[in-house]
Amino acid sequence: MAELELVLQALQQGGVIAYPTEAVYGLGCDPDNEAAVLALLAIKQRPVEKGLILIAANYSQLLRYVDDKAIPPGKRYQIFSSWPGHISWVLPASKTAPKWITGQFNTIAVRVSAHPVVQQLCSAYGKPLVSTSANLSGQPAITDKVVLQQSLGDKLSAIMPGPLGGATQPSQIRDAISGDIVRS
């Protein structure tokens, strides 16, 4: 529990953390803290225009970022029946969703994770976290904790302990409106 408290403190202080997800280690921070998000993007060497995924313990944590009323009724079952799970959905963004999360888009990618560590972290923090693979942009995602420590450890405020889930690939990303697969 002490490790969880350190990670939560790092998040509250605007730090960038790493944590295990379904398939790879993720980098995360408070999505409402612009300086934290920009620090995360600097670590990854990723442009803000590309947008970021939010990961949550439940859909209600995402409601302030998603324009729920703009999700077509016919698409809702497919989205919500896939969660908690390993699919991220691109949904219409709310007017209050930060541009440093949505990037150049009027949509936002979100996922309700079934990973117990992600569930614990988002529940304890009380909100979603930014979720992007722990690696430099264009490099392979990190699946080994030693590699994570060696390559990014000095740039992170904390690392949440725990095993990776059993998935072999990062989450699939699907566009909720078109049904297109954005990332398989």
Side-chain angles (χ1 to χ4, degrees):
M1 201 54 158
E3 291 163 324
L4 176 61
E5 293 305 318
L6 287 172
V7 172
L8 293 174
Q9 188 174 28
L11 288 168
Q12 289 161 347
Q13 294 171 350
V16 176
I17 64 160
Y19 56 93
T21 70
E22 295 89 344
V24 301
Y25 282 98
L27 294 181
C29 64
D30 185 325
D32 298 311
N33 184 327
E34 184 177 9
V37 173
L38 295 177
L40 180 148
L41 291 170
I43 291 169
K44 271 195 71 87
Q45 300 172 7
R46 177 185 169 107
V48 70
E49 293 79 21
K50 288 180 92 174
L52 291 160
I53 296 173
L54 294 185
I55 196 166
N58 56 61
Y59 181 63
S60 63
Q61 288 187 330
L62 298 166
L63 285 173
R64 104 177 217 22
Y65 306 93
V66 171
D67 184 355
D68 185 66
K69 290 178 178 53
I71 300 170
K75 304 289 184 177
R76 295 176 83 80
Y77 177 79
Q78 184 181 18
I79 296 164
F80 298 126
S81 66
S82 74
W83 287 338
H86 194 52
I87 297 178
S88 297
W89 289 92
V90 176
L91 300 175
S94 70
K95 294 197 182 341
T96 58
K99 282 294 174 200
W100 55 85
I101 299 295
T102 60
Q104 64 184 339
F105 306 100
N106 60 0
T107 54
I108 188 164
V110 295
R111 178 166 84 253
V112 176
S113 176
H115 193 287
V117 173
V118 173
Q119 284 273 328
Q120 177 188 29
L121 198 51
C122 292
S123 292
Y125 197 52
K127 67 192 296 188
L129 298 175
V130 168
S131 184
T132 185
S133 56
N135 59 300
L136 299 182
S137 224
Q139 297 295 311
I142 296 174
T143 57
D144 182 291
K145 190 170 183 179
V146 173
V147 174
L148 175 68
Q149 283 279 25
Q150 290 171 344
S151 59
L152 297 175
D154 63 334
K155 297 175 174 79
L156 303 173
S157 299
I159 297 175
M160 182 71 181
L164 296 177
T168 57
Q169 295 288 319
S171 70
Q172 182 183 81
I173 302 175
R174 297 188 71 129
D175 185 301
I177 307 303
S178 70
D180 293 343
I181 295 173
V182 179
R183 178 180 78 191
S184 56

